Structures are given as structure tokens and as C-alpha cells.
Amino acid sequence: MTAVPDPGETFVHEDLYLYGLEWETGQFFAGRPVAEPGETVADPSAVAWALTNGLSGNGGEPGLEQELRRLLDSVGGDAIESIVLVHEGRDVAAFLAANAARLPRLRSVFLGFVSAELSEISWIEQGDVTPLIEAFPHLERLDVRGSDGLALRPVRHERLRALRFECGGLPAEVVRAVGASDLPALEHLELWLGVENYGGDYTVADLAPILSGERLPALRRLGLCDSPVQDEIAAAVAAAPVVARLEELSLSMGELTDAGAEALLAGQPLTHLSRLDLHHHYLSGPMAARIAASLPDVDVDLSEPQPDYERYVAVSE
């Protein structure tokens, strides 16, 4: 079993983990292989435990409470550090929050660990994830897939290191809440912003608190991805204070054109970056060559150039 590059440690192409293998056949989360309750493993703390709740449509499948009880009975709450929810629903985050005392060592959570074979990303329901963040003071990573019903209130969390939202349309409320949150340990922030038809009613102005970096002193990897207004985002990033201390920047998956690339080149230096991810773009050949030549020591991902006769983001529905 070979792990793909881990989202949360770097920026990877969406098809590597969103549209890849079913989790049963070898998915990873937070560097850990995914296992089911009841599966025998040498070290229960070294895997990500999958809790499911009837996604295949079989009426007799157990609910989350039964699945969690089965897991706790087999390995014990003190041995569980990572959980993926192979389930959707507006009550899932609240369910985990209500069971925080039974999971005292929980460090990483993936809500909506649902493959495209089971549900399109914009059909995946979520709820308010704030109670989950507040209930687990040792949480270091939270990934959320899907945004139907997704909500977040501004929070302070001392240990959260990676926060990722994968969706076809990220609500403005969530974008603004991220910007208003105090996350002193956060190193990796990744937002799939998406399109208005699927809930992405944000504006570039909503990103200003994130781009200032004032509440994100440890941020090293920033992804503002999958947007039809990628050019405007690139222009904002070009003057953003947070960029000077980044190691990796992703403006991938959106409708980035020569205008946005020109803004990047005319803005603050990007030569300090180790990686600039622009995959799925609408750059001309000469502009792509200019970017590569301007950043010879940076790993620049200019893959997946798109034909200019029809523009679209990489992930919407």
C-alpha cells in the first residue's frame, strides 16, 4: 500500500484523493492508512478509523453511535488519534463534539470522507463545525469535504495546524469566520472557494483578514483555489502581507488567466517560495514560460493548461 502525497502537508492535485480509490482499498488520511472498526491493526493509534452510517443505502446499516461504540469496545478511546467520517449529515460534527470525552487523544478529523462514486462533492451535507473545533483542544487537523449547510463561527484554537475545506462553493460566512479566527499554530490553510451556483457567495474582500496574516502567525502554506475570480485573488495575493512568510502558495484549480499572472509577477517577490501551484489554469504559453523563468528556484506547477474557449473551475458539482 503506497500513500499518495498528503493534503495538509503540501498541495496535491484534487484527483489524487477526491476522485481516487475507494477508501476501503487503500486511502490515507493525515499520513495514516484508513481502517474500519473491528479490523485488527498492530497499533490502533497509527491508523485513521473510518466511521460510516448507511451511505450505501442499506437500511440495516448501523448508525454513528453504534459504529463509535464498536470502535471504542475494540480499541478503546485512548488509542484513537484520527477519525474519518465516511458519512454526510448536518449532525456529524455535533455528534463528535458530544463524544469528546470518549476520544481524549483525537488529533485529526476528516468530515465527509466520501468518494465521488458515492456522492458528488456539492451534494455532501455538513453542519456547523464550530462545536467540533471547540470540543477538542488537542485537535491538530480538520478536513471538511462538502459545503451544503456548512457553517463556522470565529474560534480560537491553540493547536490546530491544518485546516482544509474541499467543496464546489464555499459560503462567505465560512470564509469570513476563518479570517476572524485566532489560530496561532495553523501552518496549512486550504480553501476550495468554488462557484456561486453551489454556494460560493464569497468576495475577494472576504479574504482580506486571511491575507493580512495577523491571526495566522505560523501560516506556511496557503491555498486559495478553485475560483472563477482567480485573477482578482491573484492580484490581492500579490500585495498581501502574509505571502512574505509562506513556503507554499496555491492558486490552482480556478480560472487564472494572463491578467492574474501578470499581477503576480508585478507584485511582491515570490522567489522565497519552495512551491507555487497553479495547476488547472488558462495561461498562454508565453506567460507560463515567463512565470517559470522568473522563478527558477521555485517548484512551479503549471500542469493542466485549459483551452480558452470555455472556462470552468476544476471542482464545482
Side-chain angles (χ1 to χ4, degrees), residues 72-185:
L72 293 172
D73 288 346
S74 62
V75 304
D78 287 339
I80 300 168
E81 295 191 1
S82 184
I83 286 178
V84 300
L85 276 297
V86 189
H87 172 63
E88 59 175 309
R90 304 193 180 194
D91 59 340
V92 175
F95 168 80
L96 278 184
N99 286 277
R102 304 163 78 182
L103 299 163
R105 293 182 59 191
L106 193 63
R107 300 290 188 273
S108 55
V109 175
F110 198 133
L111 298 176
F113 195 74
V114 180
S115 72
E117 288 82 1
L118 291 174
S119 178
E120 297 290 350
I121 194 168
S122 291
W123 302 354
I124 298 173
E125 285 191 345
Q126 297 290 353
D128 187 351
V129 299
T130 316
L132 187 154
I133 297 172
E134 293 174 334
F136 292 97
H138 300 293
L139 190 69
E140 296 178 356
R141 177 164 174 182
L142 176 62
D143 292 44
V144 181
R145 178 173 294 162
S147 59
D148 184 3
L150 179 66
L152 174 69
R153 290 177 279 106
V155 295
R156 180 175 178 87
H157 197 286
E158 301 294 336
R159 298 195 181 185
L160 193 66
R161 296 177 56 245
L163 179 61
R164 303 182 60 257
F165 289 98
E166 301 177 7
C167 63
L170 193 61
E173 172 194 357
V174 175
V175 176
R176 290 193 292 265
V178 171
S181 294
D182 289 302
L183 303 171

